[in-house]
Amino acid sequence: MMKNFKLKLALLSSLSCLASTQAMAAWENLPAAGVSVGSDTSAYILCNPTGDFGSGSGADAPVQPSSTADECAVMPINEALPPDSSFTGASRIPVVNGTRTITMNNSYTNNTNVVIGNVKEYVWRNSSTNMCIYGMRVSLTNTDYNLTEPGKQTFEVNDIARKGWSGKTIDVAYSTVPTTASPIYRIGRTFTSVQHRPGFVDQPITGLGSSPAINGVNVWPTPAGRPTAAEQKADIDTDWVDFTTDANYLDDDGSTNPLSGMSYVRSSCTSGTFTTAADAIRLRQTFQELSADGSTDNPFIEVEVEGVIPN
């Protein structure tokens, strides 16, 4: 048994060396005080602001990251390995490896449970440095969530928020492993997801004075004079991190992209047992575009999902 354990560690060490040859260094600090945008402050940093944050298609489609020269991008061998070459040996085995069901229950589902996909969640712990990496990705299914409308409307995830970071210094990153996944366009230290449509603000500034789950224009098409400046703002909330993406089993342009990129947060942690909370992860549909049928609204919706609370 000891021999098998040593062989396992040897294999992990060799994988670690292989992984270290991959470009995995593009972690970005996400300051608790926000970042400067001209004379203003933003809770968000920009990562991959291409393709109109998922609205573009064809020649205007989002560009996949190709190396860590791309902001926030890391390139692990696969999603089950931590995107940090300092995690070696046993620390490359996730201490949390869970699949969380995404269940929607609201007026659109006629107040019944409708399962629309899952969130894959990993936590890796480096006991020698007391650092942890928290990773997650969304996988959506071809499921009709809007039972109040004819046809099929599939849920679109435009933002993924997770809590538990108050008092912590954090670094963030993302990966499109597998390569068909949606990029992460921006990452914010905020509770508020800000809607993005062509021509909208890429890097929202602070000054809203409140903390809604979603801020934007909950109608289609965008009315004249909208969005207002206030409808494109998000205040800092150090307990939350928001990842902007664009995942949907079937998009309004006919494309399918049911997976978000892997999103990562790295911070200090203890050796204690991890606990979960039923609302630790929030998935938001921010009405970036219409449903795949080209006529039905994709209104503001938030779905709570169980997730690990950082320790």
Side-chain angles (χ1 to χ4, degrees):
M1 190 169 181
M2 179 60 71
K3 184 177 180 180
N4 288 339
F5 179 70
K6 289 180 177 179
L7 285 172
K8 190 173 186 180
L9 282 180
L11 176 60
L12 285 168
S13 295
S14 65
L15 284 173
S16 176
C17 292
L18 178 60
S20 67
T21 66
Q22 307 295 309
M24 297 197 300
W27 287 88
E28 302 286 343
N29 180 250
L30 195 61
V35 297
S36 296
V37 179
S39 59
D40 297 306
T41 299
S42 177
Y44 283 93
I45 61 171
L46 293 178
C47 292
N48 187 341
T50 63
D52 270 325
F53 286 32
S55 294
S57 60
D60 297 320
V63 177
Q64 294 288 325
S66 58
S67 74
T68 55
D70 299 305
E71 296 292 328
C72 315
V74 290
M75 303 286 167
I77 297 171
N78 63 60
E79 70 172 35
L81 292 174
D84 184 332
S85 58
S86 70
F87 282 63
T88 60
S91 68
R92 299 187 68 74
I93 301 174
V95 294
V96 174
N97 184 345
T99 302
R100 321 294 185 186
T101 300
I102 306 170
T103 303
M104 187 187 299
N105 186 322
N106 55 27
S107 60
Y108 299 101
T109 68
N110 286 329
N111 300 309
T112 61
N113 287 344
V114 175
V115 175
I116 57 173
N118 64 69
V119 173
K120 186 66 179 178
E121 187 176 28
Y122 300 95
V123 180
W124 298 271
R125 178 191 281 131
N126 188 334
S127 299
S128 63
T129 60
N130 295 320
M131 295 295 290
C132 285
I133 296 173
Y134 304 82
M136 63 178 176
R137 66 156 170 78
V138 171
S139 178
L140 298 170
T141 56
N142 186 18
T143 303
D144 182 16
Y145 79 86
N146 193 344
L147 306 183
T148 67
E149 294 286 347
K152 179 182 288 185
Q153 290 78 40
T154 55
F155 187 65
E156 179 169 292
V157 174
N158 302 113
D159 286 81
I160 308 165
R162 69 179 304 165
K163 70 178 180 179
W165 313 106
S166 183
K168 289 183 175 291
T169 298
I170 62 174
D171 300 317
V172 293
Y174 82 97
S175 170
T176 54
V177 173
T179 55
T180 56
S182 170
I184 300 296
Y185 302 108
R186 63 188 174 201
I187 307 174
R189 196 135 189 196
T190 179
F191 177 72
T192 300
S193 302
V194 180
Q195 179 188 51
H196 192 282
R197 291 176 180 172
F200 282 25
V201 172
D202 285 355
Q203 194 168 14
I205 62 172
T206 58
L208 181 59
S210 60
S211 295
I214 302 170
N215 193 19
V217 182
N218 200 17
V219 294
W220 186 275
T222 306
R226 305 278 295 279
T228 65
E231 288 171 331
Q232 291 283 275
K233 292 182 177 181
D235 287 344
I236 293 169
D237 186 332
T238 59
D239 197 42
W240 287 86
V241 174
D242 183 282
F243 298 85
T244 302
T245 186
D246 180 29
N248 196 338
Y249 187 89
L250 186 60
D251 222 340
D252 68 336
D253 63 4
S255 63
T256 181
N257 198 10
L259 302 178
S260 73
M262 281 290 297
S263 58
Y264 302 103
V265 181
R266 183 175 62 190
S267 70
S268 61
C269 59
T270 71
S271 59
T273 302
F274 289 102
T275 60
T276 64
D279 62 348
I281 298 170
R282 310 289 182 91
L283 307 181
R284 277 95 177 248
Q285 177 174 274
T286 65
F287 206 170
Q288 183 181 56
E289 53 211 356
L290 292 172
S291 295
D293 60 14
S295 59
T296 309
D297 288 352
N298 259 350
F300 292 177
I301 297 176
E302 178 184 71
V303 180
E304 297 179 353
V305 180
E306 180 185 8
V308 166
I309 298 297
N311 66 16

